Amino acid sequence: MSYTRIVWAHLAKDLRLEWRSKDAINGMLFFSLLVVVLFSFAFDPTMAVSRQIAGGILWVALLFASTTALNQTWTRELRHQVLDAQRMAPSPASALFLGKVLANFLFVTMIQVVLGPLFIIFYNLHALGQGWWMAVVLPLGTLALVVNGTFFAALSLRTRNREMLLPLILFPVSIPALLAMVQSTSAILTGESDPGLWINMLAGYDIIFMTLCLLLFETILNAE
Amino acid sequence: MRSRPYRGKYLDGANASPASQTQRTFRILQRVHPAANVIELREVSKLYGTFAALRKITAEFHTGNSYVILGPNGAGKSTLLRNLAGLTRPSFGTMTILGSGEVSEVRSRIGYLGHDSMLYDELTAMENLRYSASLYQGETLSSGRWTPEQSLAMVGLDPALNRPVGKFSQGMRQRASLARALMAKPDLLLLDEPFSNVDLASSAQMLHVLNQLRAAGNTILLTTHQPDLARPIADCFCTMEAGQIVSMEYFPPSNAPAGMRSAAGLRA
Amino acid sequence: MKRTLQFGLPIALGILAIGFYQAMYVAPVEATMGEIYRIFYYHVPSNTMGLLFPFLNFAASAVYLFTRRSNPSLAQAADALALASAEVALVFLTIGLATGMLWAKPVWGIWWTWDPRLTSCLVLWLIYVSYLLLRRFTAGGQTQTLAAVLSVFAAVDVPIVYMSIRWWRTQHPSPVFFGGPGAGIDPHMWPAVLWNLTGWFLWGVMLVTLRYQLERKRQRVERKSALNALEAEPQMTP
């Protein structure tokens, strides 16, 4: 299918660029590591408490880290006016967006792969609930962050103070998703409640906002 | 190409240039072929806040001609090209490009080369062009397309060159950009300062390519600060000042490519 | 604008005066909370308006997005309305949150609690702050489009935020409207509620109209100065 091939072209290009420059990954990785270390100074990571707050810290760390990377994600296209070439091409704008989302999704997932074990070590964690549910929550949560993040990064692309604006518009809209991520993670770690409701909500959030972003991306790409 | 009714505005001096014999002959030719305008601008203005980058430009650009746009910095040359490419929209006025009133409909038939390279520094020229080509796939073009290899060869770059564009000289980078812009065989080629900071050999190579395209009947608009350099490929010098086209000076058709000359039935 | 003030101001103020009288002197004292509960006659209308005007903002934004190419003058009017309703919604939400806190301190003993209903109001407030910030940070012809897109996002987001009410335990009193059996208020309180709702509604409509007219005026001035710049003698660059 032609659309898939175009998405793949965008994705492959982004992966290749990242492979050669390693801008996003390195920054994100170190940043989220710092957040985890700093938070363990702020909150005493003893066994009993850590389980309650670990979910929040994990997602806040990932949220901050992906914000720093998302700010860079379109700068790359802007640097040598490549975005203008993409805007003139006859391929659908939503494919460009989808490629970007998938690339960012992979980057954040890679961060999680590194961060996850560290997190377990620093906070002495072992899940009391169904640990394998994390394999569902993490991708769903990441997708929620990345879909809206990529969209709003494109939205704030041609504004003043764009690095500052992105979190200001991304965080309020993402609150329900963040709530669901933290609640489901805490439920899994403490084993006190069922994460099912929050996981469903997260999945619904992903579907709704992915659709919305795909529909509206063309509009913001040619906003003027 | 959808043709629009000819409005017969050629002789009212909108272009404010001295009408030479040649020009008149060209205009008569245009009358016979009403669809021969690749671009028609009516009172096109572009405002940034209260700064008028373009002011009420009414002009026509004929198919198959190549226009060299001259003028001081800030005259609106780049803004004009960006509007023609559909990257920005005019604040007032109407544009008809390649027979369409909505540039986005014909955007894929326009080749645009901006101030910047429009290429990724980290990728090789070949990778850049392959990526660009993949965005044009599925689009059926009457004239077909050039492959990335052909396109690079045209501008005198080796497709096997395994060096990222960021490490290219300015001349090589600009040639690679040109290769990208013309890969989809655009009917209309818009080039913004293609020769700035480019070595002589590269400019010569680019001029050679542009001359070929002109001979093949493509329309070219290019801005430059070096009129002498662009003179060999120019059918018309178009001068802009303070957001307006102040003169359009067509050259005698001896300068025009052979195909055009015979079609016009002219004797130099 | 003058006419809006001439007609709108006396009517709105008149009804608000009746509302004040009803709320302070006519309505009975609440059984458990005492006199303090009377702030509820301002809290409920403010929050109702704070939830009402976002709908107007969304509708106007949608009209803007659909007509921005085909009918620019209608789109401009829609955008002015979107801006006006967003600002007025933010004012009402702020009042709603503030009166809520004033009420919560004596009744619950705390200024704020992370109850979902309070939280969703706060999130709505945050979203509209970010909406207005976006409008402030963007320049040129894209402000309106980007703001309209964000408004659509807000409209989709708010119901999702609101759903959490049903999923979290709440300490908020049951909703006045559609709260199900056991919820609701004494019938003698209704006149005060309705007068205040009507009064604040008219007040809000008046504010939106004034703000709308102001924005339209600004658009006209901007357009005029743009046209002047176009007509002015071009400055030759040296």
Side-chain angles (χ1 to χ4, degrees):
Chain A
M1 215 178 108
S2 159
Y3 189 84
T4 330
R5 266 192 297 162
I6 294 171
V7 172
W8 170 247
H10 287 299
L11 174 61
K13 177 267 303 172
D14 261 339
L15 294 180
R16 185 173 276 156
L17 283 176
E18 184 57 36
W19 178 250
R20 299 213 176 140
S21 68
K22 301 190 181 63
D23 288 340
I25 289 274
N26 285 341
M28 260 201 294
L29 192 59
F30 191 58
F31 190 93
S32 34
L33 184 65
L34 278 180
V35 174
V36 171
V37 172
L38 288 179
F39 274 165
S40 43
F41 295 142
F43 309 100
D44 188 20
T46 51
M47 281 280 266
V49 188
S50 59
R51 217 168 260 125
Q52 306 281 340
I53 58 168
I57 291 171
L58 175 68
W59 283 110
V60 171
L62 284 173
L63 182 67
F64 286 169
S66 23
T67 313
T68 54
L70 288 165
N71 260 323
Q72 303 302 319
T73 184
W74 293 104
T75 319
R76 189 177 275 165
E77 313 297 329
L78 216 51
R79 198 180 297 141
H80 288 293
Q81 247 187 317
V82 188
L83 193 66
D84 285 341
Q86 287 161 341
R87 285 174 59 195
M88 289 187 69
S91 60
S94 61
L96 172 63
F97 175 75
L98 205 55
K100 230 1 153 201
V101 166
L102 291 176
N104 285 330
F105 179 79
L106 288 178
F107 298 156
V108 179
T109 305
M110 267 183 255
I111 301 295
Q112 287 168 347
V113 169
V114 179
L115 207 61
L118 280 177
F119 207 72
I120 294 170
I121 295 168
F122 280 1
Y123 288 85
N124 291 321
L125 290 178
H126 63 97
L128 297 178
Q130 301 280 352
W132 58 270
W133 271 111
M134 283 307 287
V136 180
V137 173
L138 279 173
L140 284 178
T142 309
L143 196 60
L145 287 184
V146 162
V147 166
N148 277 347
T150 310
F151 187 86
F152 285 122
L155 194 147
S156 51
L157 195 57
R158 275 158 291 180
T159 59
R160 283 175 284 139
N161 299 342
R162 101 174 142 241
E163 312 250 304
M164 195 181 150
L165 185 61
L166 172 62
L168 296 187
I169 52 180
L170 172 62
F171 291 176
V173 171
S174 302
I175 285 175
L178 201 64
L179 189 72
M181 294 170 210
V182 174
Q183 290 300 316
S184 51
T185 308
S186 299
I188 291 167
L189 289 178
T190 58
E192 282 165 9
S193 56
D194 177 27
L197 174 70
W198 296 109
I199 291 173
N200 284 340
M201 180 185 154
L202 207 49
Y205 185 94
D206 283 347
I207 293 168
I208 291 169
F209 278 90
M210 180 66 112
T211 314
L212 197 59
C213 287
L214 287 174
L215 288 176
L216 286 172
F217 187 70
E218 163 96 62
T219 310
I220 62 155
L221 192 62
N222 299 313
E224 199 187 350
Chain B
M1 192 189 294
R2 250 185 295 150
S3 65
R4 309 180 94 237
Y6 174 61
R7 297 207 200 88
K9 272 194 82 180
Y10 288 100
L11 298 174
D12 64 6
N15 299 339
S17 64
S20 66
Q21 177 64 38
T22 324
Q23 226 174 318
R24 252 180 247 130
T25 320
F26 256 100
R27 285 172 179 177
I28 290 161
L29 175 72
Q30 302 298 328
R31 278 178 179 284
V32 180
H33 302 285
N37 278 336
V38 68
I39 300 168
E40 289 181 28
L41 305 178
R42 297 270 170 266
E43 302 256 307
V44 167
S45 304
K46 178 69 187 177
L47 290 148
Y48 292 105
T50 55
F51 171 70
L54 300 178
R55 16 175 114 231
K56 299 196 174 175
I57 295 180
T58 298
E60 272 124 6
F61 295 88
H62 311 320
T63 308
N65 283 10
S66 83
Y67 294 82
V68 172
I69 304 173
L70 304 166
N73 284 330
K77 305 188 296 291
S78 298
T79 313
L80 178 64
L81 290 198
R82 284 185 70 80
N83 273 286
L84 294 175
L87 293 169
T88 57
R89 299 170 71 85
S91 314
F92 304 102
T94 56
M95 305 194 301
T96 308
I97 295 180
L98 295 164
S100 165
E102 185 58 52
V103 187
S104 56
E105 287 171 10
V106 292
R107 222 149 47 170
S108 58
R109 291 169 57 199
I110 304 173
Y112 172 76
L113 175 68
H115 272 296
D116 222 325
S117 68
M118 300 170 92
L119 301 170
Y120 294 104
D121 274 351
E122 294 88 348
L123 303 185
T124 67
M126 197 56 202
E127 286 167 341
N128 265 302
L129 262 67
R130 275 213 200 98
Y131 168 64
S132 189
S134 65
L135 304 188
Y136 282 80
Q137 69 191 2
E139 184 80 348
T140 44
L141 296 170
S142 53
S143 48
R145 271 188 305 266
W146 275 302
T147 63
E149 287 87 353
Q150 286 172 325
S151 199
L152 281 178
M154 274 171 69
V155 297
L157 286 175
D158 179 8
L161 192 63
N162 193 15
R163 204 197 308 172
V165 172
K167 298 224 168 75
F168 276 19
S169 73
Q170 178 65 22
M172 287 168 76
R173 191 178 310 158
Q174 199 69 317
R175 280 187 280 155
S177 303
L178 181 64
R180 189 205 58 78
L182 50 82
M183 198 164 43
K185 289 197 180 178
D187 299 312
L188 171 62
L189 202 53
L190 306 168
L191 311 172
D192 201 354
E193 306 271 2
F195 307 124
S196 67
N197 298 321
V198 170
D199 57 287
L200 279 174
S202 289
S203 324
Q205 179 78 41
M206 289 166 75
L207 283 168
H208 175 69
V209 175
L210 292 179
N211 217 4
Q212 283 180 333
L213 291 170
R214 174 164 158 258
N218 290 56
T219 313
I220 301 169
L221 269 71
L222 72 89
T223 69
T224 185
H225 286 295
Q226 296 145 282
D228 297 342
L229 194 63
R231 178 64 184 82
I233 58 154
D235 291 308
C236 173
F237 269 2
C238 172
T239 311
M240 287 188 76
E241 252 171 50
Q244 283 173 322
I245 295 180
V246 289
S247 77
M248 281 180 107
E249 184 193 344
Y250 283 85
F251 297 118
S254 62
N255 194 38
M260 282 299 288
R261 237 179 301 157
S262 60
L266 296 173
R267 298 285 175 273
Chain C
M1 284 178 84
K2 203 175 255 173
R3 196 175 300 165
T4 316
L5 274 178
Q6 267 173 4
F7 289 97
L9 200 60
I11 296 175
L13 280 180
I15 295 179
L16 282 175
I18 301 173
F20 180 80
Y21 173 76
Q22 290 277 344
M24 293 301 152
Y25 302 106
V26 179
V29 176
E30 212 268 347
T32 49
M33 294 180 237
E35 297 288 355
I36 184 67
Y37 97 99
R38 292 188 197 276
I39 202 170
F40 141 98
Y41 292 112
Y42 296 91
H43 178 68
V44 170
S46 292
N47 271 340
T48 311
M49 296 309 129
L51 293 176
L52 197 65
F53 285 111
F55 281 100
L56 188 59
N57 170 266
F58 169 61
S61 298
V63 170
Y64 175 81
L65 282 180
F66 279 115
T67 59
R68 74 194 174 110
R69 294 276 190 252
S70 55
N71 189 348
S73 58
L74 175 64
Q76 289 300 317
D79 180 68
L81 190 60
L83 174 61
S85 50
E87 286 186 353
V88 173
L90 191 62
V91 170
F92 274 120
L93 282 170
T94 312
I95 296 173
L97 285 170
T99 50
M101 285 196 220
L102 287 176
W103 174 87
K105 181 64 182 160
V107 176
W108 290 343
I110 40 173
W111 291 108
W112 182 263
T113 172
W114 289 98
D115 154 275
R117 186 177 289 256
L118 270 71
T119 314
S120 29
C121 255
L122 183 65
V123 173
L124 187 60
W125 186 85
L126 288 174
I127 287 174
Y128 274 95
V129 171
S130 72
Y131 172 86
L132 293 176
L133 269 177
L134 175 70
R135 294 197 73 116
R136 175 116 334 159
F137 275 38
T138 46
Q142 49 178 352
T143 309
Q144 302 172 326
T145 311
L146 298 185
V149 167
L150 187 59
S151 169
V152 173
F153 268 77
V156 173
D157 203 41
V158 169
I160 300 178
V161 173
Y162 193 81
M163 271 189 309
S164 57
I165 283 186
R166 308 288 163 192
W167 296 344
W168 267 10
R169 247 167 55 90
T170 171
Q171 353 180 340
H172 195 280
S174 300
V176 174
F177 306 113
F178 317 118
I185 53 171
D186 187 286
H188 296 293
M189 294 178 181
W190 273 112
V193 170
L194 290 178
W195 279 109
N196 273 306
L197 267 179
T198 318
W200 287 111
F201 175 72
L202 289 174
W203 184 254
V205 168
M206 188 187 75
L207 283 186
V208 169
T209 314
L210 285 172
R211 185 65 186 88
Y212 168 79
Q213 286 164 331
L214 190 68
E215 179 64 12
R216 290 295 280 167
K217 202 170 246 179
R218 195 196 60 74
Q219 284 176 355
R220 277 199 297 276
V221 169
E222 193 179 82
R223 191 181 163 83
K224 203 172 170 193
S225 62
L227 288 173
N228 282 343
L230 214 54
E231 298 297 340
E233 202 51 35
Q235 298 147 357
M236 294 295 173
T237 33

